[in-house]
């Protein structure tokens, strides 16, 4: 046997030609690549990825490869099942109100339970609809107040139902609507507590700081029972709310005088509350 040739070595002080040095570095990198995962840089993405060497085994002669077919049959049923479940959910499932399509706002509170904005109320011998955002009040500003509700946002908007005994058998026994107002409804406007000397200005009479104007008078019949209606605008010298609208409805039943008074501040009246308070008065009925 031929003895191995001694490796040619050079001292650290020997000069290595550039071409030979580059060839040495290439051989060293090739040997490193064969034993460790190669590092290669993508030319388009500019990022480094690890490429691990993978051993490729070939099947022995006469052995059929069926793994791929079995895997394919195993994957297909799972995909079909997932597609079936998604289809059933899309057809039979119902999207919750809190979920919204792209570009739509989600209703996290669910559906509106009371779309009318009113709640029915049945009292002692009378009934009406009350705004759903109004709350009961314990205040009793007038004698005979049976019910008092006020707006939970502004107590200026409120309603009162006053029930008092009477010897009259019908509201018509008080005279015409114009004649009956003073005896039936005027006392519910309140009285001026100021006493002093003032000049006539701002539409107020001398020594007066409040005023009431009857804007409309009417009557209606419901189930054979007559009702008197009054629309009144009250103002005070302080100009609070620009005035207050008072809607009245009065009738007589079973020896009792029923009077409904609904009030709304002038500012909120013109912002849409007029329709709300008119509906309260329109739904007021006495048995």
């Amino acid at each position: 046997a031929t003895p191995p040739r001694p490796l040619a070595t050079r001292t650290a002080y020997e000069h290595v030609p550039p071409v030979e040095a580059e060839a040495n570095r290439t051989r060293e990198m090739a040997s490193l690549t064969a034993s460790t995962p190669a590092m290669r840089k993508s030319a388009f993405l500019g990022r480094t990825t690890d490429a691990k060497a993978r051993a490729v085994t070939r099947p022995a002669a006469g052995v059929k490869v069926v793994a791929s077919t079995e895997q394919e049959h195993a994957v297909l049923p799972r995909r079909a099942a997932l597609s079936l479940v998604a289809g059933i959910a899309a057809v039979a499932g119902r999207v919750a109100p809190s979920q919204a399509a792209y570009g739509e706002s989600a209703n996290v509170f669910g559906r509106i339970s009371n779309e009318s904005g009113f709640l029915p109320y049945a009292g002692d011998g009378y009934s009406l609809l009350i705004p759903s955002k109004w709350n009961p009040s314990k205040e009793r500003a007038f004698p005979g107040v049976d019910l008092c509700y006020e707006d939970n946002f502004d107590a200026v908007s409120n309603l009162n139902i006053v029930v008092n005994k009477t010897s009259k058998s019908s509201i018509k026994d008080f005279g015409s609507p114009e004649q009956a107002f003073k005896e039936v409804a005027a006392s519910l406007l309140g009285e001026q507590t100021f006493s002093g000397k003032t000049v006539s200005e701002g539409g107020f009479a001398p020594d007066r700081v409040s005023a009431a104007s009857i804007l409309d008078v009417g009557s209606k019949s419901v189930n054979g029972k007559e009702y008197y209606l009054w629309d009144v605008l009250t103002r005070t010298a302080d100009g609070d709310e620009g005035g207050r609208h008072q809607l009245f409805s009065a009738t007589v039943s079973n020896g009792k005088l029923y009077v409904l008074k609904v009030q709304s501040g002038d500012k909120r009246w013109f912002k849409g509350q007029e329709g709300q308070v008119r509906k309260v008065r329109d739904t007021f009925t006495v048995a």
Side-chain angles (χ1 to χ4, degrees), residues 68-189:
S68 60
T69 304
E70 292 176 354
Q71 292 175 356
E72 181 179 358
H73 286 293
V75 171
L76 286 178
R78 289 196 296 269
R79 292 179 179 175
L82 291 175
S83 300
L84 180 61
V85 171
I88 294 175
V91 175
R94 190 171 183 179
V95 179
S98 59
Q99 299 175 350
Y102 178 79
E104 297 179 356
S105 59
N107 181 9
V108 296
F109 298 104
R111 296 186 61 185
I112 299 175
S113 58
N114 183 9
E115 297 180 355
S116 68
F118 293 86
L119 296 174
Y121 182 91
D124 185 10
Y126 61 87
S127 64
L128 75 163
L129 291 179
I130 298 177
S132 58
K133 293 185 179 180
W134 289 23
N135 298 324
S137 172
K138 295 182 179 180
E139 183 178 356
R140 298 295 183 263
F142 314 103
V145 172
D146 189 73
L147 181 70
C148 181
Y149 266 73
E150 61 185 23
D151 192 336
N152 61 7
F153 178 77
D154 186 2
V156 171
S157 302
N158 58 69
L159 69 85
N160 286 270
I161 294 181
V162 180
V163 182
N164 289 307
K165 292 182 178 181
T166 181
S167 59
K168 311 294 185 182
S169 59
S170 172
I171 192 69
K172 291 182 178 180
D173 295 337
F174 288 96
S176 66
E178 292 81 3
Q179 296 171 339
F181 177 77
K182 185 175 181 179
E183 185 176 356
V184 174
S187 62
L188 301 183
L189 297 176

Side-chain angles (χ1 to χ4, degrees), residues 16 63 80 94 100 115 170 185 201 254 257:
V16 180
V63 178
R94 190 171 183 179
E115 297 180 355
S170 172
E201 61 180 17
N254 298 323
L257 173 64

